[in-house]
Amino acid sequence: MVAKSFVRKLLEPILIILGILLVSAGSGLFLTQRPSLRTYWESLRSVLVDLSHPFQLVYINPISDVERELFPIIITAFISSAKIVFLALFIAIVVSVLLLALYYSAGKWFRGVIKSTSFLVSSLPDIFVISALQIFVIWFFKQSGILLIDVASVGENQVILFPAVTLSILPAFFFLGLMVSFIGEEENLPYVELARGKGLTKYNLLFVHMIRNILISLTYHAKQIVWMMLSNLLILEYLFNVFGVTSFLFTYNTPSIFAITAILLFIPIYSLLKGLQFVIKRRIGKEMSL
């Protein structure tokens, strides 16, 4: 049974990477006027050959038409994107917890304001939120002469904080909406009434007992939140002029570069989700699929 579980866990990332390779060669299927398995196979074989010696891969600058080695430039782009995504995730968690504490301590009217604001922000288009924040910073600078934060990268000066803050807004309100919903369900459970009867403060009840219980429910939405952030990353890197992995892929889009980029993105995301899965298993005593 243990051996079977180990083989299944080992096969899962291998099959996902195999799927990435098959998708990366998809453009070869349509090189002729009709779908052709022969051209698809040739494209797939070319990708496999390139991945067998990845450090010899090159990309061509479309402006200067000069060939450059893919490594280590792709790693630099990946690190830039990873900093933005993980910082944004951290900010989203912290802000959503603070807003939850404010929501939990507020009166009925203010709770309604927070819920309405959360719903409104969550329903706004991503590009509108990004553009609105940039315009606000520029407007504030023109009015006061104070630059709150750098709004775009220039040369080697890559902005990280502002893109991360911008990327964290939608996940933060998404987290908040989920936690408000889950805590609303928790408040009706017997242990909450018992804890209140014993004189526990509402903050002790919220942060020691209720949040600990709803963390399991929140982790079910981990993949949705991560993919939400990645889907916004290309727009964000373009508007902030950030040299990141998605903007690099958009500029130098070949099957081999797509495969390497997708694998680079897959490894940390898969590791993060598996880490959450491990925490859940330790918390409730059984393995749960994410």
Short mmCIF file of all heavy atoms in Angstrom, two decimals, residues 67 86 95 100 103 115 123 143 236-237 266-267:
data_model
loop_
_atom_site.label_atom_id
_atom_site.label_comp_id
_atom_site.label_asym_id
_atom_site.label_seq_id
_atom_site.Cartn_x
_atom_site.Cartn_y
_atom_site.Cartn_z
N GLU A 67 21.33 36.67 -31.36
CA GLU A 67 21.09 35.48 -30.55
C GLU A 67 21.77 35.62 -29.18
O GLU A 67 22.89 36.08 -29.07
CB GLU A 67 21.64 34.23 -31.25
CG GLU A 67 20.80 33.76 -32.41
CD GLU A 67 21.26 32.40 -32.91
OE1 GLU A 67 22.28 31.89 -32.39
OE2 GLU A 67 20.61 31.83 -33.81
N PHE A 86 5.02 35.75 -4.68
CA PHE A 86 5.04 35.31 -3.29
C PHE A 86 4.89 36.48 -2.33
O PHE A 86 4.27 36.34 -1.26
CB PHE A 86 6.32 34.53 -3.00
CG PHE A 86 6.31 33.14 -3.57
CD1 PHE A 86 7.03 32.82 -4.70
CD2 PHE A 86 5.53 32.15 -2.99
CE1 PHE A 86 6.99 31.54 -5.24
CE2 PHE A 86 5.48 30.87 -3.52
CZ PHE A 86 6.22 30.56 -4.65
N VAL A 95 -3.33 41.24 4.82
CA VAL A 95 -4.40 42.25 4.70
C VAL A 95 -5.76 41.62 4.93
O VAL A 95 -6.62 42.21 5.62
CB VAL A 95 -4.33 42.92 3.30
CG1 VAL A 95 -5.57 43.78 3.07
CG2 VAL A 95 -3.08 43.77 3.18
N LEU A 100 -10.43 40.99 8.29
CA LEU A 100 -11.34 40.08 8.99
C LEU A 100 -11.49 40.49 10.45
O LEU A 100 -12.60 40.47 11.00
CB LEU A 100 -10.82 38.65 8.90
CG LEU A 100 -11.66 37.59 9.62
CD1 LEU A 100 -13.02 37.45 8.96
CD2 LEU A 100 -10.94 36.25 9.64
N TYR A 103 -13.67 43.44 10.47
CA TYR A 103 -15.05 43.02 10.18
C TYR A 103 -15.69 42.37 11.42
O TYR A 103 -16.85 42.64 11.75
CB TYR A 103 -15.03 42.03 9.02
CG TYR A 103 -16.37 41.40 8.71
CD1 TYR A 103 -17.26 42.03 7.84
CD2 TYR A 103 -16.75 40.18 9.27
CE1 TYR A 103 -18.50 41.47 7.56
CE2 TYR A 103 -17.97 39.61 8.98
CZ TYR A 103 -18.84 40.26 8.13
OH TYR A 103 -20.06 39.69 7.85
N LYS A 115 -18.44 44.07 3.39
CA LYS A 115 -18.90 43.04 2.46
C LYS A 115 -19.19 43.62 1.08
O LYS A 115 -18.84 43.03 0.05
CB LYS A 115 -20.14 42.34 3.02
CG LYS A 115 -19.87 41.45 4.21
CD LYS A 115 -21.12 40.77 4.72
CE LYS A 115 -21.60 39.71 3.77
NZ LYS A 115 -22.73 38.93 4.32
N SER A 123 -15.26 42.08 -8.18
CA SER A 123 -15.93 42.02 -9.49
C SER A 123 -15.30 42.94 -10.53
O SER A 123 -15.67 42.88 -11.70
CB SER A 123 -17.41 42.38 -9.32
OG SER A 123 -17.55 43.71 -8.84
N GLN A 143 -0.07 66.33 -7.95
CA GLN A 143 -0.73 67.27 -7.04
C GLN A 143 0.16 67.68 -5.87
O GLN A 143 0.11 68.83 -5.42
CB GLN A 143 -2.02 66.63 -6.49
CG GLN A 143 -3.07 66.33 -7.55
CD GLN A 143 -3.58 67.57 -8.24
OE1 GLN A 143 -3.81 68.61 -7.62
NE2 GLN A 143 -3.76 67.51 -9.56
N LEU A 236 0.18 42.53 -15.58
CA LEU A 236 0.87 43.33 -14.59
C LEU A 236 2.31 43.61 -15.01
O LEU A 236 2.79 44.74 -14.91
CB LEU A 236 0.82 42.62 -13.24
CG LEU A 236 1.40 43.34 -12.04
CD1 LEU A 236 0.48 43.16 -10.84
CD2 LEU A 236 2.77 42.79 -11.71
N GLU A 237 3.02 42.59 -15.49
CA GLU A 237 4.41 42.78 -15.91
C GLU A 237 4.49 43.71 -17.12
O GLU A 237 5.43 44.51 -17.23
CB GLU A 237 5.04 41.42 -16.24
CG GLU A 237 5.31 40.58 -15.01
CD GLU A 237 5.97 39.24 -15.33
OE1 GLU A 237 6.08 38.90 -16.52
OE2 GLU A 237 6.36 38.54 -14.39
N PHE A 266 5.80 25.56 -12.85
CA PHE A 266 5.12 24.42 -12.25
C PHE A 266 5.79 23.97 -10.95
O PHE A 266 5.10 23.67 -9.96
CB PHE A 266 5.07 23.26 -13.25
CG PHE A 266 4.81 21.92 -12.63
CD1 PHE A 266 3.55 21.60 -12.14
CD2 PHE A 266 5.82 20.98 -12.51
CE1 PHE A 266 3.30 20.37 -11.55
CE2 PHE A 266 5.60 19.75 -11.93
CZ PHE A 266 4.33 19.43 -11.45
N ILE A 267 7.11 23.93 -10.94
CA ILE A 267 7.84 23.33 -9.81
C ILE A 267 7.53 24.04 -8.48
O ILE A 267 7.14 23.38 -7.50
CB ILE A 267 9.35 23.30 -10.09
CG1 ILE A 267 9.64 22.29 -11.21
CG2 ILE A 267 10.14 22.93 -8.83
CD1 ILE A 267 11.08 22.29 -11.69
#
